[in-house]
Amino acid sequence: MLRRLLSISLLCLLPVSPLLQADGFARLAELGERGFLIGAEARLLDSREVLGAIEPQRQLSPASVTKAYLAAAALDHWGPQHRFTTRLVSDAELDAHGVLHGDLVLDGGGDPALSTEDLWRLTQRLHQRGVRSVDGQLVVSQWRFGPVECITTDRCQAHSRVANAYSALLSSAGVNHGSWCVTVAPGPAAGEPARVTSCDSQAAIVGIDNRVATRADDSGTRLNAERVLRSEGDVMVVSGQISLNATPRDIYRASSDPALQTARTLLAMLEQAGVRVRKGATTSIAEPPATARRLAEVEGLPLQELLLRTMHHSNNFMADQLALNLVETPRADLILGAQAIEHFVAGIPDHGPLTLRSGSGLTPENRTSARGGNTLLESMFHRPALFPSFVASFQSPGNGVMRFMRRGSTTFQHHVMLKTGTLNQPVAVRSLGGYFRTRTGRWGVFTVMVNGTSSTPWLNWAQVLDPLAEDLERMINEN
């Protein structure tokens, strides 16, 4: 007995490493032994009992878990039912023959989900107003923000060429998440070129360089696409093959200029509706004249729906658009949007340090702690008017849009709601944050950030999700 007491006393005197403090995250802690930097904390909300922690105050990159901060700040600022409005305005005279003697201006309202369908409704409402032709130009005004300076490598490179949609550039007059869409369908016979057309118009509104061949039935479809900026404007270069019996495939790639993309798309909509614009389309950063009259308008989706799409699909365009809208003054940039989120978080007691450079998490300089992330989640839990919309923007692994998260036991898949964050450059980042319900119905919060270093190996999601699922399942079952 004396020997046992002496042993316990000696253990109490030994320094305790962060991994030895991680009883609740026993499996996750194994990543630390491979050189990864971990910040993690899980706690119950009723008692605030910490169920597991690994360096919970360590400042690490949250990647797209940043979007949880953006969602909270947006709900606090506008409320769940806020809608962004896009308008067609003009200070020109409309005569009895339906001729608008001057410019038609699209006043970009910063709607993160503005779509072709919205532009078509605007066009129809303009036609219902009696407008049949425009004697001047179609002017797309991005006076609120845009073109927004790029501060990440992906977005800067996307101006000249891009092979994805997530690097879309930003504008308060952007449409379709700042991305062009083309549809690839098989040609009339094997050996013939495929048909590549715009998704949004019968007329071509983006240049197309079609290098896709039609192959025999069931021969497989393999497509590659890159949007490049040439002297004539944006061109979608599509190559590969499509089977003769394949269904059409839609391909999205970020545009080089989202406001110009909107101008070309809306001009095509107007022409299809029989509204002729004599002098073509252009873009502007000037605010529409105070004397301009509203000719047509369309309201976007309520904020709670925007957040569900932003978070579930981790849509960088939508997140950064919302952050830019938080800035009260015109000509906003990403840093000002990030500062607006930081200002909101500064009002949450005991959150601790937060460094943001964007609302999307694309910027690798973003920093927070696991304890700070949980403090944010707890603060939203105690706001009954906002919490339902906030928690709905998180995903349960078992029903997640992202297939990679459909892992772990039934308990993990259906007792947890989370947001994930991924970066691969300059180092690997895999982050998660969200809520869980225990077997007895108690609410808990968790935030986990795993950051690589220049000397750590590649990190995939299975290496993080599998041990985390085991750790959270144990906490859920034991409480």
Side-chain angles (χ1 to χ4, degrees):
M1 182 67 179
L2 179 60
R3 181 179 296 174
R4 185 182 175 201
L5 288 172
L6 286 172
S7 298
I8 293 172
S9 299
L10 287 172
L11 283 172
C12 291
L13 293 174
L14 291 175
V16 181
S17 73
L19 296 184
L20 289 177
Q21 295 174 0
D23 4 345
F25 287 117
R27 285 294 321 282
L28 185 70
E30 294 170 9
L31 283 170
E33 298 169 3
R34 298 173 51 200
F36 290 99
L37 303 176
I38 304 174
E41 184 185 72
R43 67 172 183 243
L44 297 172
L45 289 179
D46 52 7
S47 64
R48 307 199 73 187
E49 176 188 356
V50 175
L51 304 180
I54 304 173
E55 294 281 11
Q57 294 180 305
R58 173 184 269 164
Q59 292 286 300
L60 293 172
S61 168
S64 281
V65 175
T66 299
K67 293 180 176 72
Y69 284 95
L70 176 276
L75 285 168
D76 177 78
H77 187 79
W78 290 299
Q81 299 308 319
H82 176 78
R83 297 172 185 259
F84 295 94
T85 303
T86 305
R87 297 181 175 89
L88 286 173
V89 302
S90 180
D91 61 353
E93 177 189 350
L94 178 63
D95 69 20
H97 303 288
V99 179
L100 190 67
H101 294 278
D103 293 337
L104 176 66
V105 181
L106 181 131
D107 183 1
D111 185 349
L114 187 71
S115 65
T116 302
E117 290 81 1
D118 293 320
L119 296 186
W120 184 248
R121 285 202 300 274
L122 269 179
T123 300
Q124 294 306 301
R125 289 168 186 173
L126 184 73
H127 192 275
Q128 291 165 3
R129 183 69 180 261
V131 177
R132 296 295 180 269
S133 67
V134 177
D135 223 11
Q137 288 183 301
L138 169 64
V139 179
V140 171
S141 172
Q142 52 183 335
W143 66 274
R144 289 177 173 85
F145 53 86
V148 177
E149 181 184 2
C150 62
I151 59 174
T152 59
T153 301
D154 286 351
R155 275 201 175 123
C156 291
Q157 292 175 343
H159 177 70
S160 58
R161 62 193 319 124
V162 67
N164 62 61
Y166 68 78
S167 299
L169 301 167
L170 305 165
S171 167
S172 60
V175 68
N176 296 332
H177 304 141
S179 291
W180 292 112
C181 176
V182 295
T183 299
V184 182
E192 295 290 322
R195 296 187 179 96
V196 184
T197 57
S198 169
C199 300
D200 301 318
S201 170
Q202 295 173 358
I205 55 176
V206 61
I208 294 172
D209 184 345
N210 180 8
R211 305 177 186 180
V212 183
T214 305
R215 300 299 185 203
D217 287 356
D218 302 318
S219 57
T221 297
R222 295 180 293 277
L223 300 173
N224 296 299
E226 185 179 39
R227 192 274 304 152
V228 298
L229 179 59
R230 297 178 179 170
S231 57
E232 67 270 29
D234 279 357
V235 177
M236 292 281 277
V237 182
V238 190
S239 60
Q241 69 174 55
I242 186 169
S243 298
L244 185 61
N245 60 343
T247 56
R249 308 289 179 88
D250 289 345
I251 299 176
Y252 297 85
R253 294 294 182 264
S255 71
S256 66
D257 184 335
L260 185 58
Q261 174 197 348
T262 300
R264 293 176 65 174
T265 304
L266 180 55
L267 190 62
M269 299 291 102
L270 290 166
E271 289 173 354
Q272 287 183 46
V275 179
R276 188 176 70 90
V277 181
R278 192 167 67 86
K279 295 183 179 180
T282 188
T283 65
S284 171
I285 61 171
E287 185 175 0
T291 54
R293 302 183 316 281
R294 183 182 65 216
L295 298 177
E297 72 175 27
V298 61
E299 284 192 334
L301 298 168
L303 179 63
Q304 61 184 10
E305 176 68 19
L306 294 178
L307 292 178
L308 186 147
R309 297 185 182 196
T310 301
M311 295 275 280
H312 282 206
H313 297 277
S314 207
N315 190 301
N316 297 314
F317 177 86
M318 294 182 72
D320 283 330
Q321 291 276 113
L322 285 168
L324 289 162
N325 276 300
L326 288 171
V327 182
E328 300 290 351
T329 54
R331 316 309 311 148
D333 60 26
L334 286 170
I335 300 298
L336 290 173
Q339 288 174 355
I341 301 171
E342 289 177 347
H343 179 74
F344 159 72
V345 174
I348 300 175
D350 303 321
H351 179 281
L354 174 69
T355 301
L356 298 182
R357 294 292 177 268
S358 70
S360 64
L362 268 183
T363 40
E365 301 85 359
N366 286 14
R367 292 290 182 274
T368 190
S369 67
R371 182 156 297 165
N374 282 347
T375 301
L376 171 82
L377 296 169
E378 182 177 4
S379 72
M380 294 303 290
F381 179 80
H382 293 296
R383 299 188 68 175
L386 303 182
F387 182 65
S389 299
F390 183 68
V391 73
S393 69
F394 291 73
Q395 298 183 73
S396 62
N399 302 316
V401 173
M402 307 298 186
R403 292 183 181 273
F404 71 84
M405 70 172 61
R406 298 177 190 174
R407 309 180 70 86
S409 67
T410 302
T411 297
F412 173 73
Q413 290 190 32
H414 299 297
H415 284 247
V416 174
M417 297 188 72
L418 54 79
K419 175 72 188 82
T420 62
T422 307
L423 282 176
N424 295 316
Q425 296 292 336
V427 297
V429 175
R430 302 292 183 269
S431 297
L432 307 97
Y435 299 90
F436 61 89
R437 296 292 299 275
T438 71
R439 284 291 183 188
T440 60
R442 302 170 75 184
W443 282 86
V445 292
F446 72 98
T447 299
V448 170
M449 292 177 287
V450 181
N451 285 197
T453 69
S454 58
S455 59
T456 48
W458 175 253
L459 183 67
N460 63 39
W461 266 111
Q463 292 170 298
V464 177
L465 271 174
D466 289 349
L468 176 62
E470 289 185 34
D471 290 337
L472 283 178
E473 180 185 9
R474 187 171 54 256
M475 296 178 199
I476 290 167
N477 287 333
E478 292 176 354
N479 292 277

